[in-house]
Amino acid sequence: MRVITGFVLCATLATVHAQTDFPNKPITLLVGSAPGGSNDIFARAIGKQLQETLGVSVVVDNKPAAGGILANVLLAKAPADGYTLVVLSSTFTTGAAVRKNLQYDAIKSFTPIAMLAKGPMLITVGNNTPFKTIEDLVSFAKANPGKLNYGTSGVGSINQFASELLSEAANIKMTHVPYKGMGPAVTDLLSGQIDMIIASAPSLLSQVKNDKIRALAVTTVDRSEVAPEIRGLKEAGFPKAAVDLWWGVLAPAGTPKPVVEKLNKSINQIITSEAMKSFFVKEGASPVAMTAEAFGNHLVNELDRWKAIALNANIQAD
């Protein structure tokens, strides 16, 4: 009995030491998309700063498959020690709201670490359309149900959810045109093949500033520092259609609380520095520091919201 007790005590002490000594080896940041996207850009920026703050190497590992699902599966199966994390965005919850056969539970399989930032999406139309304001677009859609087309990066994407949220708030009916990525959707908006796109500022803002497409509003309630010249949805009369893009960091379920708290504190210090604030704004977002618990609550609320919208709009994954 004493031998067993001693063994358990040693194991417990070793676990405690590993937690208090964290980190003492390289950390991997999984990203479920190819290099160059916002998740990847944010992961590399945060990783560089974490490396300096924590004193260990931080490696970004891109796993661009299945709309980010592969990276999430790998994280769910990784040791719960804080050395494997994932940087993801709003698509994590929209995808979970419509996909039935995920190899993980979006809430139970992970430990929230920190939110990184939030940013608006832009409601844009082609220059060939007659719409100068969002009121013009809504009036046309009400008079011509289903005639107005909107493009997205795919079924179940945050772009589709934001568009259906606007449809619900404005009591209109539009026709969904899904693409395999935002690039071809923007190309068709420019050429007049589709009428409208709701997408992230990084995807559309340069086209707006170059007068190639027209922005009618941002999807946040109020105007955003990312594009202060564009009206928010409260000002446009549709506050219930508001939606933010967000980016955050998760760890596997069961990650020890001391490790979570250390990572959360380090990340919050990094994202609220003046240099990182400027970096995020240039990338179409604003840093948001919150506790790990608050980020977890945000994920739960988002998932519930998207499930309700998916049911109402009959959004189903392919």
Side-chain angles (χ1 to χ4, degrees):
M1 179 64 72
R2 288 181 180 176
V3 173
I4 295 175
T5 302
F7 176 79
V8 172
L9 178 60
C10 288
T12 301
L13 290 174
T15 300
V16 172
H17 176 72
Q19 294 175 17
T20 56
D21 194 37
F22 176 87
N24 56 25
K25 63 180 182 180
I27 294 172
T28 297
L29 294 181
L30 297 172
V31 176
S33 57
S38 60
N39 291 10
D40 176 72
I41 291 170
F42 291 168
R44 292 182 187 279
I46 295 300
K48 182 180 179 181
Q49 296 297 319
L50 270 178
Q51 195 163 274
E52 296 177 5
T53 300
L54 299 176
V56 297
S57 296
V58 179
V59 179
V60 175
D61 188 4
N62 297 86
K63 299 293 183 183
I69 292 174
L70 175 59
N72 301 337
V73 170
L74 292 173
L75 183 72
K77 295 179 179 179
D81 53 13
Y83 289 100
T84 304
L85 310 171
V86 69
V87 175
L88 36 64
S89 61
S90 305
T91 300
F92 174 72
T93 46
T94 59
V98 297
R99 294 184 182 274
K100 307 292 185 184
N101 299 313
L102 293 173
Q103 298 178 50
Y104 56 84
D105 184 290
I107 302 303
K108 296 178 182 178
S109 299
F110 306 103
T111 297
I113 296 296
M115 182 176 282
L116 298 178
K118 285 185 177 182
M121 303 176 80
L122 303 183
I123 302 174
T124 63
V125 294
N127 285 339
N128 61 302
T129 69
F131 314 127
K132 305 297 182 183
T133 66
I134 195 168
E135 293 91 340
D136 293 339
L137 182 145
V138 169
S139 295
F140 176 87
K142 283 186 175 180
N144 302 275
K147 189 174 181 180
L148 193 146
N149 298 320
Y150 73 88
T152 72
S153 60
V155 175
S157 64
I158 186 66
N159 318 107
Q160 183 183 13
F161 274 92
S163 300
E164 291 298 336
L165 197 58
L166 176 62
S167 296
E168 184 179 290
N171 193 27
I172 58 176
K173 178 67 177 178
M174 301 185 288
T175 298
H176 179 211
V177 182
Y179 291 82
K180 292 182 178 180
M182 189 48 61
V186 173
T187 297
D188 274 7
L189 183 68
L190 290 167
S191 65
Q193 299 300 308
I194 55 175
D195 303 306
M196 185 191 84
I197 283 178
I198 301 179
S200 67
S203 298
L204 298 174
L205 194 54
S206 63
Q207 306 282 10
V208 171
K209 290 184 175 180
N210 290 327
D211 295 323
K212 293 184 177 181
I213 58 177
R214 192 178 303 127
L216 305 184
V218 292
T219 61
T220 43
V221 173
D222 299 309
R223 296 192 183 214
S224 167
E225 62 179 334
V226 171
E229 71 280 6
I230 303 173
R231 291 193 299 169
L233 282 174
K234 182 173 69 175
E235 194 175 341
F238 304 100
K240 291 184 179 180
V243 56
D244 293 292
L245 282 175
W246 59 262
W247 294 263
V249 180
L250 299 181
T255 300
K257 188 175 181 179
V259 173
V260 173
E261 290 177 343
K262 186 166 188 177
L263 287 168
N264 177 268
K265 181 179 179 181
S266 298
I267 290 172
N268 284 341
Q269 288 176 342
I270 288 168
I271 64 176
T272 53
S273 69
E274 289 303 317
M276 288 301 291
K277 285 180 182 178
S278 299
F279 165 79
F280 277 118
V281 170
K282 288 179 182 177
E283 294 295 332
S286 301
V288 179
M290 63 173 61
T291 65
E293 182 181 10
F295 181 39
N297 291 335
H298 176 78
L299 294 177
V300 171
N301 293 336
E302 276 246 322
L303 186 58
D304 289 344
R305 183 190 193 193
W306 298 138
K307 283 181 177 179
I309 292 171
L311 183 64
N312 186 60
N314 194 31
I315 301 174
Q316 299 181 33
D318 295 334

